[in-house]
Amino acid sequence: MNPVDILRLLSLAAIWGASFLFMRIIAPVIGTIPTAFFRVSIAFVGLLVILALMRIDWNFRGKLKIVMVLGLINSGIPATFYSLAAQVLPAGYSAIFNATTPLMGVLIGGLFFSEKLTLAKVSGVFLGLFGVGILTGAGPVAFDLQLLMGALACLLATTCYGFAGFLTRRWLDHQGGLDSRLSALGSMFGATVFLLPLFGYSVISQPPASWGGWSVWLSLLGLGLVCTALAYILYFRLLSSIGPVKSMTVTFLIPPFGVLWGALLLDEPLGMAHLYGGVLIAAALWLVLKPGAAKPVEISAR
């Protein structure tokens, strides 16, 4: 990885680390579907404005429908699941469960996309998961049905991310690929179209008791414009540059950034668990990102 891609990876981790804090503020107030819908629709409008100011060529090269489907898999469904989890889980927990994305990517790549898996890569994924598990010591949550349901929602979201990474490479990178900025725009458009009828039905059938105050709407703007619009431009650029598995290792860096934002902005305490977890995560990143010279590990469906 060159220095520019490393900077993109760190920037994306910092931005997405903040997204879980925003969702934890928003979702308990206005609900699951409104949170997910406003996230992707604000991102869509923001990307429209940004790309219009950049005067890019609006040529989707016949791939708009494909990009919209990717938006459903990579944005609409995961945004809904994470908004659901945010109603019952602390932000740090959602960020920690989000770190299963590379594991899902490795397994899905081996099972469905003929991705070569080295022993170092697989070991790195599990070492990273162990590291983020240690971070749970910073804020334990009682083991109950709510925790299980929130964890399941997060795992379903990361499964979508795992599939979307490989589908993006398969569907968009042949015949010259597609501008990453258009990929991000089309994805947000697809997610918005998918969530619009669900949003309308939820507002009619079970409207929120409150639409929140200025803190909720500022958080929505941050979630939509920065953590989604800007973040997805960076993400699609990384997918094109370094591939799906390496791009998904950004999720190893999200929990430490979530802890950092909590300490700086919410005065949350730091403990030795953060140090131990951070060291393990750094080691895992090295194992997964280094050139794979080891013998591939065969993983087959049973």
Side-chain angles (χ1 to χ4, degrees), residues 32 41 45-46 67 80 89 103 124 140 144 156-157 172 192 201 207 266 276 282 285 300:
T32 298
S41 60
V45 173
V67 176
T80 303
L89 292 181
L103 173 59
D144 56 17
L156 289 173
L172 296 185
T192 300
Y201 175 78
L266 303 177
Y276 299 147
L285 279 170
S300 59

Side-chain angles (χ1 to χ4, degrees), residues 198-234:
L198 297 178
F199 171 70
Y201 175 78
S202 70
V203 170
I204 294 173
S205 63
Q206 193 174 3
S210 169
W211 287 101
W214 64 269
S215 61
V216 169
W217 287 95
L218 285 179
S219 296
L220 271 170
L221 289 176
L223 183 64
L225 295 178
V226 179
C227 298
T228 308
L230 175 60
Y232 271 91
I233 290 178
L234 288 174

Side-chain angles (χ1 to χ4, degrees), residues 158-174:
T158 60
T159 300
C160 291
Y161 288 151
F163 273 106
F166 287 101
L167 291 175
T168 298
R169 172 62 65 88
R170 172 172 289 186
W171 292 347
L172 296 185
D173 283 3
H174 65 285

Side-chain angles (χ1 to χ4, degrees), residues 3-269:
V4 174
D5 285 329
I6 293 174
L7 179 60
R8 290 192 183 110
L9 192 72
L10 292 173
S11 299
L12 187 58
I15 291 170
W16 270 340
S19 70
F20 297 101
L21 298 177
F22 288 140
M23 284 188 287
R24 183 60 174 160
I25 294 171
I26 302 164
V29 177
I30 67 174
T32 298
I33 297 298
T35 300
F37 172 74
F38 283 125
R39 175 177 187 174
V40 298
S41 60
I42 290 173
F44 172 61
V45 173
L47 283 169
L48 272 179
V49 174
I50 292 171
L51 299 191
L53 292 175
M54 296 174 69
R55 298 183 179 180
I56 70 163
D57 182 9
W58 298 90
N59 183 10
F60 282 90
R61 303 174 61 182
K63 298 180 180 180
L64 177 59
K65 292 182 180 179
I66 292 176
V67 176
M68 289 178 66
V69 172
L70 287 173
L72 167 63
I73 300 171
N74 199 52
S75 304
I77 297 175
T80 303
F81 281 132
Y82 276 124
S83 297
L84 177 63
Q87 297 208 46
V88 297
L89 292 181
Y93 269 64
S94 293
I96 289 167
F97 286 122
N98 185 68
T100 62
T101 298
L103 173 59
M104 296 299 183
V106 166
L107 295 179
I108 289 169
L111 290 171
F112 301 103
F113 296 94
S114 302
E115 183 78 9
K116 292 183 178 180
L117 305 176
T118 66
L119 178 61
K121 187 181 293 185
V122 174
S123 299
V125 168
F126 282 98
L127 184 62
L129 292 174
F130 182 59
V132 297
I134 287 179
L135 289 179
T136 60
V141 171
F143 187 82
D144 56 17
L145 182 59
Q146 279 196 336
L147 175 60
L148 288 176
M149 295 302 293
L152 178 60
C154 292
L155 292 176
L156 289 173
T158 60
T159 300
C160 291
Y161 288 151
F163 273 106
F166 287 101
L167 291 175
T168 298
R169 172 62 65 88
R170 172 172 289 186
W171 292 347
L172 296 185
D173 283 3
H174 65 285
Q175 299 178 350
L178 183 67
D179 189 316
S180 61
R181 297 165 295 183
L182 288 178
S183 297
L185 177 66
S187 292
M188 290 304 109
F189 179 53
T192 300
V193 170
F194 165 70
L195 286 172
L196 179 59
L198 297 178
F199 171 70
Y201 175 78
S202 70
V203 170
I204 294 173
S205 63
Q206 193 174 3
S210 169
W211 287 101
W214 64 269
S215 61
V216 169
W217 287 95
L218 285 179
S219 296
L220 271 170
L221 289 176
L223 183 64
L225 295 178
V226 179
C227 298
T228 308
L230 175 60
Y232 271 91
I233 290 178
L234 288 174
Y235 177 65
F236 276 102
R237 183 64 184 86
L238 277 172
L239 280 175
S240 177
S241 178
I242 65 177
V245 171
K246 289 183 178 181
S247 295
M248 284 184 286
T249 58
V250 67
T251 54
F252 283 155
L253 293 170
I254 290 174
F257 273 107
V259 171
L260 176 63
W261 299 144
L264 292 178
L265 303 177
L266 303 177
D267 295 324
E268 295 178 351

